[in-house]
Amino acid sequence: MRELLAGQSVIAVVTIEDSRDAVPLAEALVAGGILAIEVTLRTEAAVAGIREIIRHVPNAVIGTGTVCNAQQVALSQDLGCQYMVSPGLTDDLLHAAEQASIAFLPGVSTVSDVMKAMQFGYRDFKLFPAGAWDSKAFIKALQGPFPSIKFCPTGGIDVDNMRQYLALTNVLAVGGSWLTPNSLVRQQRWSEIERLARDTSAMCTAYAIG
Ligand code: 3PG
């Protein structure tokens, strides 16, 4: 994930309800400087939307999200995604991802989760749900025992709190859906999504993060 995210501090978590929205949505994010796009496998439109983005938005760094089982690992790979992200981890998922040829960002929420996934060789983790407790203190505390590990806090991140997370040296990137609010997507207000992406990118640049 570190190589894929090089220079990117934000992963846009996107849930596609209508596959016709996928390309303009991805184009707006990319135009605003947000290249890493995680499309959650939570809707029927997700698969067609991912295919469209891969075909028409070559600069997007596209991955699947909410990957929970071996079938979704295989699907992510077959679609041609560059990576996949899970909210948590199970033995089945770790074994399936081990066989896959694309990157995997396993979700963790405990020290034991981190240790378990480290046994499979992972060094980068989605920390989920970051906003449900004081995860900044948690992330900071893990720096001592796990100096080579980096986190992508997700779940409850927004433009106001992202800087506090990105200031932590063991945070690789933050993820979230704040860049693509349902209300804007349903009304196809792509220029506003581009502006949100641009503002977020500018904030990352201003504080020399990403
Ligand atoms: C998700 O899978 O929905 C993500 O973790 C996004 O969480 P958020 O909507 O709180 O940003």
Side-chain angles (χ1 to χ4, degrees), residues 13-206:
V13 179
V14 171
T15 298
I16 295 173
E17 288 172 355
D18 183 335
S19 61
R20 288 170 296 185
D21 291 336
V23 168
L25 180 58
E27 282 175 340
L29 290 168
V30 169
I34 302 293
L35 306 189
I37 302 174
E38 172 194 329
V39 179
T40 63
L41 294 180
R42 295 206 283 254
T43 60
E44 282 189 16
V47 167
I50 290 168
R51 285 204 177 99
E52 289 293 298
I53 295 172
I54 290 174
R55 192 171 305 141
H56 298 291
V57 194
N59 289 338
V61 180
I62 181 91
T64 48
T66 326
V67 171
C68 295
N69 55 49
Q71 289 78 10
Q72 290 171 324
V73 168
L75 174 64
S76 306
Q77 194 171 279
D78 291 348
L79 284 169
C81 287
Q82 290 166 271
Y83 61 96
M84 51 202 171
V85 184
S86 70
L89 45 86
T90 65
D91 288 339
D92 281 355
L93 190 55
L94 285 166
H95 285 295
E98 197 177 27
Q99 304 304 318
S101 59
I102 61 174
F104 178 43
L105 187 68
V108 296
S109 60
T110 67
V111 176
S112 301
D113 286 346
V114 171
M115 289 170 61
K116 186 170 190 176
M118 282 175 75
Q119 289 178 336
F120 285 76
Y122 294 103
R123 296 181 304 151
D124 304 327
F125 302 105
K126 166 172 174 163
L127 182 82
F128 179 80
W133 82 101
D134 187 359
S135 63
K136 289 185 284 297
F138 179 79
I139 292 166
K140 216 169 178 176
L142 294 199
Q143 186 126 48
F146 306 116
S148 63
I149 297 302
K150 291 201 184 285
F151 296 96
C152 296
T154 309
I157 309 294
D158 57 31
V159 73
D160 296 321
N161 64 18
M162 71 166 197
R163 203 154 52 85
Q164 296 159 7
Y165 285 95
L166 289 169
L168 300 172
T169 52
N170 53 346
V171 164
L172 178 60
V174 294
S177 62
W178 83 90
L179 290 160
T180 55
N182 283 339
S183 53
L184 293 187
V185 175
R186 287 199 186 117
Q187 294 170 53
Q188 304 188 330
R189 286 155 66 181
W190 311 128
S191 58
E192 285 177 60
I193 288 176
E194 180 178 334
R195 186 177 49 75
L196 280 175
R198 206 175 286 288
D199 289 349
T200 297
S201 303
M203 205 175 285
C204 291
T205 310

